Amino acid sequence: ASLSLDSDPLLCIPLPVSQKDRTEIRVQSALQTLTRFGYQKTDILAAMDKVADKANIDAIVQCITDQRPSIQKVRQLQTSANTNELLPKLSPTDEDAQDEVDVDDITFDDGEDDDNEVVQQMTPEYSTLMDPGEKHNNPLNPNHTTDEKAMDIKYYTKVTKLKNQRLMQNTADDELTYPFVSCMSMDEILDLQELDSIDHRNPFGQFCRAKVVAKDEENKRVRVIYVGQNPQYRALWNGWCAITPQTQYMFANSCTISRRAAHNWRLKFAQVGSLVEIRPSAQRWHALDIDHAYHGWQCAQVHKLDCLSGQIQCRYSYDGNTYLLWIHVDNEREITHIDNMYELQDVICVFQQQQQRWMMATVTLVELNCITVQFLQDQATETLHVVFDEKRLLFPTLLADISNVQNAIRKENLQWKLGTVTPTNDTIYQCFAYMFYGDLNLAIGVKQACTKYLAEKKKTEKDVDDEIRLNTLCELYQVRVRVFEYNANSKALDIVFEAGVYDVNVPIVLLS
């Protein structure tokens, strides 16, 4: 079974657990962003209670602005400030200065480094309002008049809005055009110069924005400071880093990881507590287990999420010790999803590499993503990884079906994405697990819920077919299901089955 993902229905599915987590992350990100750019936390929380979407930064800023006194009242309370003669004097009647902003209540964190390109992309004339040395620090120049401070705030509000639009995009077009690169080459690291911006791993292993402030050519090392971090962390993290093959994994091009969103659709919606399989090569605590058939790969649990990128912190155990490791979900060399719903004694079709043909085999062992199969003809055994050896499990007929569905979607210009799951006897549960929870590994939970629901109706799993399963899942999760089949004559998709609540406001799951 293959799974069709429609972005709009997927986003409106009511998720009792994972949706709350995603909403909380967006709310916390909005709170941190607005706090960093000068808004009081009490004002932000009060505004969040009044807007419909608590993560909508524009709505929160508008609500705060509506509640604050006008700039006219601020002028009356302010004493006449000394005007910097080198700076252009703004007209008090300027429309941009009429925004309702309380200048005294706004403070800025001097740790955030603003992008020069973003500054130039906005109205360039505003850049003359502040000292070049203060452009990356406190935007409120103490020598500015009240009107000029209001213009500074207006300008930085525009910059903040543009930056947050970039950060909130889950699928940025510019990121889709280049593959994931885990680190810089040694030549690129050796060519680093002072004031170069890079991504660098902090002491916890997470990639953060950083800047090179000094370079020691003789000892081959650079001094790195982290940008936009709390001062108490900067004092501990900033320092010299040696340039060696052992530290190469700590360097990456600027914003290629620290601001890269997740594009791996199988791990894009992973939540805290989700199980993944990792290969912790970018760590220095222990050597990889090379005795395993797929050496180094082991189970881990998602411990923390990064709201600014697709990085996740995983917790795993090795040799009796517990470790934490930051990985980007697009790094296919270090992380993969778990999608193994095979059961013991399942008879499947596997491509035998030695004989170069497809043969029937029985599953004799299941461990995470690995299965051990025994071929029926010669009784030979072999261990396969259901993710890495996916091509050996997708027999030609299934591959042809997938290709035909993809071509039909492209031909009809449907805004769908087609994703495939491991071909097992429980692919229906795998598809529903991803649509409801964004985690293929939760298919066993969906199957257990369906089995329990059927048991209440005095039915067993062996007594039902796929149609009954689909109807049961629709009743259980209050959704609609529509199954498509490729029509070879018309070379289009035909609807062959529909089930669920017949209400257009109910989310729909698309299968083929």
Side-chain angles (χ1 to χ4, degrees), residues 308-341:
L308 299 179
S309 68
Q311 295 182 91
I312 60 176
Q313 188 182 44
C314 299
R315 179 174 58 192
Y316 70 98
S317 299
Y318 182 84
D319 196 20
N321 299 318
T322 302
Y323 301 93
L324 294 175
L325 180 69
W326 280 97
I327 304 177
H328 198 287
V329 297
D330 290 347
N331 190 353
E332 297 180 353
R333 299 181 60 184
E334 292 191 1
I335 187 171
T336 186
H337 64 287
I338 297 178
D339 183 24
N340 190 355
M341 281 294 290

Side-chain angles (χ1 to χ4, degrees), residues 18 209 343 375 436 509:
S18 58
R209 291 189 302 162
E343 297 180 354
F375 294 98
F436 293 148
V509 178

Side-chain angles (χ1 to χ4, degrees), residues 387-406:
V387 177
F388 304 142
D389 296 328
E390 181 182 18
K391 294 182 179 180
R392 298 182 59 187
L393 299 172
L394 297 175
F395 46 91
T397 305
L398 181 56
L399 284 175
D401 291 340
I402 295 174
S403 178
N404 291 332
V405 173
Q406 290 175 336

Side-chain angles (χ1 to χ4, degrees), residues 444-495:
I444 185 64
V446 176
K447 182 178 180 180
Q448 291 175 352
C450 183
T451 304
K452 182 178 179 181
Y453 193 79
L454 289 171
E456 295 175 356
K457 296 185 177 183
K458 298 182 179 180
K459 295 181 180 180
T460 62
E461 184 71 19
K462 297 180 180 180
D463 299 334
V464 299
D465 55 10
D466 288 343
E467 291 188 8
I468 297 178
R469 291 189 183 96
L470 289 173
N471 282 291
T472 302
L473 291 170
C474 291
E475 294 178 12
L476 186 61
Y477 291 98
Q478 289 297 301
V479 295
R480 294 179 294 157
V481 171
R482 183 174 295 167
V483 181
F484 295 89
E485 183 180 13
Y486 178 73
N487 190 328
N489 296 326
S490 62
K491 296 184 179 180
L493 298 177
D494 293 341
I495 299 176

Side-chain angles (χ1 to χ4, degrees), residues 13 20 29 102 179 212 283 310 316 361 405 414 425 447 451:
I13 288 180
K20 288 184 179 180
S29 176
D102 190 348
V212 178
Q283 48 80 30
Y316 70 98
V405 173
L414 300 174
N425 296 327
K447 182 178 180 180
T451 304

